[in-house]
Structure formats: structure tokens, C-alpha cells
Amino acid sequence: MTQKVEKVRFAPSPTGYLHIGGARTALFNYLYAKHTGGKFLVRIEDTDLARSSKESEEVIIRDLRWLGIQWDEGIGVGGDHGPYRSMERVDLYQKFIDQLLIEGKAYHCFCTEEESEAQREQQRALGEMPRYMGKCRCLSQEQIEEYKNQGRTSVIRFRVPEDQMIVVQDKVRGTVEFESNGVGDFIIVKSDGAPVYNFAVVVDDHLMEITTVIRAEEHLSNTPRQILLYEALGFAIPIFAHVSLILGEDRTKMSKRHGSTHVDQYSSKGYLPEAIVNFLVLLGWSPETEEEIFTLSQLEQLFSLDRVSKNPAVFDIKKLNWINGQYIRAAELERITDLSIPFLVDAGLITEEEAVQKRVWVEKIVSAARPRMEYLRQIIDIAKLFFGDTVELEDEEAAEVLKAEHVRGLLTVFRDKVSEAEEVNTEFAGSVFKIIQKQTGIKGKNLFMPIRVALSGQCHGVELVDIIEILGREKMNARIDYVLNNLV
Ligand code: GLU
């Protein structure tokens, strides 16, 4: 017997940016497909007409691609089961709506939204679960015709079977049971003819031959409705895997309050896609080892739903920053330079032309800065010190350093050494202190610190040898002059 090929999908609603949680769902689906040798499909669920937009769809697709998540079938890729936007599939849904209506498993409901809301309000007041009580469940054909003649619009509701236990077999959450009596007949087609998510998703997953539905926990409560539809339509029910919520550090659902929640907020701050992927996978999945750094292809080998936790994951920005820092330092300097330049240009530190002309110099800056970077935008603050001929003292500690009595003499000697040097390079930076120490007897902190502060205004930060080499002769002389004239 040949084993069934797994097929999974990511089905974002194009109602905003790609959320961190959505990106994780996409990633888990992608990894599951890769790990099992299956297929991964992406489709767009745009049934919420008021909130869906083309821009959102574009951003979601762009960000998925940026993360390196590729799909075998679906939006932008094509395949045998298109179209891949719900609202372009309305004709395909009709057959199944007709089937349900003919079999009496769905019915037209003429209750107005006001009536339904009043009913829900009443139920809430009585502490009951708000649900439709079935007023239009048993309308005769004549009544239906009469309502239609009166020009009343209708929705189509699914007739929920009574007294049924609906069992969700969930790969992450185990067996979860729902009573059908608590569900209430739900709308599957709105009065304007648009399908409702719960209906479209079932037809789409069936027609697209989805075997496993991996999605966010918030959809668990939709699953009983969907299972009832699968049963009513005679479709095979897929395996479900509802992945736990992502919480902020205060253990409430991750939201704007907790900082950046969209993938593009991270890309625009200079997080690397592979770092985001690495971080996201650890939000809910854990490897068998203590290891924490994984490439996408390693994850394709390792990922399994068995190691996806039922407990909520906590979004720890410090951990993301740590992971991103690891990737920044491990990446090719050339790539990190390419990615850092737009930040330097944006901040007005260099122009694009200068970035090309002084490429080697810019690479040196990036190389000196990256041990201290958690994300690339931080290059602006770190690299600032390499621009300009004046010096701004960072804090009181720096000002204090320049007050020592020997500083003026020391800086003058240093300035001479810089002027006399054949070339100001790494070698010079490495030897100049020994020479000055010999000549003046000043050593240790008393030697390094005033020079560091005079050149950079900072007591801590980028390595002094890097500062010397990157500033070069002219800038160092200009700065020492500035300090001698203005600050000591
Ligand atoms: N369109 C839904 C969402 O964006 C996904 C539904 C599903 O995966 O079944 O949350």
C-alpha cells in the first residue's frame, strides 16, 4: 500500500499585516510538509469583504517569501485546485450549498440581524451561550415564497444536528469534545450571497485535498462547526492540530501593547529572516536537544508535531535579540554590510554614492559594530561615532576622564604619533600605545581611556583599535584638535 502524501495549507485572511502568530502557523505547516515529504499550499481567505484588501494580501505574500517559506501550490504559484482566493471560488461553493439545501441540512433564514442580535442579547442576560434558536428552521415552502415576495432577504443556515457529541481529534490538544446542542444553527451564506469562512474553509480544504489542518488555537472553537459540515457533505475529515497562543511576557495574548507584532516591523528594524524563523519555531516547538540555533533546512529534518507543546508560548524579545545577534555575527560581512547601508543612508550618515565609493571603509565599520548589534538598525547609534570632526561626550564618566592632569600632554603626544605614522592601519593601532607608554610612562587605563574618549566621546563601545583604524589620520587629528581646544 502506498502511503498517502500529506498536504497542508496556510490560509491567511488578508485583513492586515503578517502577524508573528500567522508567520509561525505558516512555518509549522511548511516544516511539516517538508518533514513528511508532503505538499504545502497557500490560499487567501478573503470572505470578510469589509476587512480584506489586496495590499494586505501582497504584504503577507511578500513577508512569507522574505522568511524563506515557499509553497508548492496556491496563490502566486498556481496549481490544479485554484482559484486560490475564496471570493473567486463562489461558483464552486454553490454546488455544495445546493446539496445541503436539497438534503434539508441547510435552510433559508429570514430573521433580520436586529432580531438575531436581540435574541443573543437576551441569552447573554440569562447567562446562556448566545446562539440561534431556530425560528426559521421549519418554514414551509409557502412561507419561504411569501417572505421572498415581500422582498425580505435571507441568509442560509446550517441545521445543526441535535444531541450529538462532536469529537475533535487534535494532534496537539488530544481529544476535545463539543456538544452540538451548544452550537446553534450557524450561517453559511450571508444575505449578499457571500460564503462564510466556516463553510468556505471546509469546501476548500476538501477540494484542495488537505490532509492535516495546522492552525492557531483560536480556531479550535470553529472546528465543531466545520466537522459537522464535513459530515453533512460526506467529506473525509482531516487531522487537526491547533497550535497554542503566543503570549506577551505578562502572559496575556500577544498584542500591539507588547511591541512589534508584525513580521515587517522586524524586517524593517534589521532582523534577519533566518533569525526570525529560528525564533518562531521555538515558540511552541522544541527540539530533542538543548540546541537553539537551527537553519531552515535543519528544521525541515527535525520538525514534528509530536514536539509541539499544548502550553502557550511566551514571546521573549531578549531571546529573539540574542538569536538575531548570533546570526548577524555568523553571516558574511558582505551581506551584513549590504543590509546595513540603507540604515546608514536613512540616518543621513552617508549617501548611497559614498557607500559605494567607500565600500571597504563601510565594511570596516560594520565589522567593528556587529559584535554589539542585536538588530541592524542599531548600526546607526553605533556607527555615529565614525562621522564628523567633533566629539560629543557621551556622559559624565567620559567628561571625568578628560579632566585628569596628564590628558593634554598625552593627547598631544598621540596626535604627533598619528601625524608621523607612515600609515594609520591595524598595525599602527596595535603598536602606538606601547610606544607612547615607553615614551611617557603613562600606562593602562590612564593611557587608553583619555585617547578613547577624545576620539569617540565614549568610555565603552567599539574596540579602540577599530576606532583608530576606521577614523584614520585626518579625522583623528581633527578630533584631537577639537578636544584640545574645547574640552580639556
Ligand atoms: N483565515 C483564517 C485566519 O487567517 C485561517 C483559518 C484556518 O486556517 O482555517 O485566521
Side-chain angles (χ1 to χ4, degrees), residues 322-338:
W322 177 79
I323 291 176
N324 202 49
Q326 299 289 314
Y327 279 94
I328 288 176
R329 288 181 270 292
E332 294 282 331
L333 180 60
E334 207 184 330
R335 173 174 169 225
I336 298 301
T337 306
D338 287 342

Side-chain angles (χ1 to χ4, degrees), residues 129-131 137 158 160-168 175-186 220-228 231:
M129 265 260 279
R131 62 188 195 282
R137 243 186 172 210
F158 179 72
V160 173
E162 281 161 42
D163 304 324
Q164 189 178 319
M165 196 55 104
I166 308 159
V167 184
V168 182
T175 305
V176 189
E177 295 184 340
F178 296 86
E179 283 179 34
S180 70
N181 292 350
V183 175
D185 294 353
F186 55 92
L220 183 62
S221 59
N222 285 319
T223 311
R225 291 184 184 81
Q226 294 171 14
I227 287 181
L228 290 173
E231 286 172 347

Side-chain angles (χ1 to χ4, degrees), residues 3 8 13 17 33 72 86 100 134 160 166 182 220 243 260 323 328 332 357 429 442 446 469 487:
Q3 202 163 357
V8 291
S13 301
Y17 293 92
D72 309 291
S86 320
L100 292 176
V160 173
I166 308 159
L220 183 62
V243 184
S260 305
I323 291 176
I328 288 176
E332 294 282 331
Q357 286 155 9
I442 305 169
N446 286 337
E469 200 195 338
L487 301 176

Side-chain angles (χ1 to χ4, degrees), residues 1-203:
M1 216 172 80
T2 52
Q3 202 163 357
K4 198 167 162 196
V5 175
E6 286 278 358
K7 193 170 180 191
V8 291
R9 78 332 185 252
F10 177 55
S13 301
T15 54
Y17 293 92
L18 179 62
H19 192 272
I20 283 292
R24 183 193 56 172
T25 301
L27 177 64
F28 280 14
N29 275 285
Y30 167 87
L31 292 175
Y32 183 77
K34 286 285 173 200
H35 186 77
T36 56
K39 294 274 178 240
F40 177 41
L41 175 152
V42 174
R43 67 163 184 259
I44 300 294
E45 285 186 343
D46 56 355
T47 51
D48 185 344
L49 297 181
R51 294 174 59 227
S52 294
S53 76
K54 190 80 190 142
E55 295 79 65
S56 162
E57 178 186 313
E58 279 162 12
V59 167
I60 290 170
I61 291 171
R62 181 199 67 194
D63 289 351
L64 285 174
R65 295 213 163 113
W66 178 77
L67 286 169
I69 297 176
Q70 290 169 348
W71 49 102
D72 309 291
E73 184 185 333
I75 196 80
V77 171
D80 295 338
H81 307 84
Y84 294 100
R85 287 185 195 93
S86 320
M87 291 311 292
E88 291 170 13
R89 300 175 60 77
V90 171
D91 289 347
L92 287 167
Y93 301 141
Q94 195 55 49
K95 179 173 124 194
F96 300 103
I97 293 162
D98 292 343
Q99 181 186 330
L100 292 176
L101 284 170
I102 289 165
E103 292 176 0
K105 292 174 179 169
Y107 60 89
H108 287 278
C109 166
F110 294 86
C111 295
T112 61
E113 184 44 42
E114 292 74 40
E115 280 174 299
S116 303
E117 182 49 36
Q119 189 179 69
R120 288 194 290 266
E121 203 44 63
Q122 211 175 12
Q123 288 165 330
R124 276 191 282 263
L126 292 169
E128 291 172 11
M129 265 260 279
R131 62 188 195 282
Y132 182 69
M133 294 304 283
K135 184 162 171 247
C136 296
R137 243 186 172 210
C138 302
L139 295 181
S140 65
Q141 201 49 43
E142 291 76 51
Q143 279 170 308
I144 293 177
E145 289 311 318
E146 196 184 316
Y147 280 144
K148 281 190 180 161
N149 290 340
Q150 289 169 2
R152 288 177 73 162
T153 54
S154 64
V155 298
I156 298 175
R157 284 189 189 270
F158 179 72
R159 190 188 300 276
V160 173
E162 281 161 42
D163 304 324
Q164 189 178 319
M165 196 55 104
I166 308 159
V167 184
V168 182
Q169 298 292 2
D170 194 286
K171 278 258 203 181
V172 176
R173 326 208 80 77
T175 305
V176 189
E177 295 184 340
F178 296 86
E179 283 179 34
S180 70
N181 292 350
V183 175
D185 294 353
F186 55 92
I187 298 175
I188 53 174
V189 181
K190 286 178 249 179
S191 56
D192 60 4
V196 168
Y197 154 71
N198 270 320
F199 177 75
V201 73
V202 168
V203 176

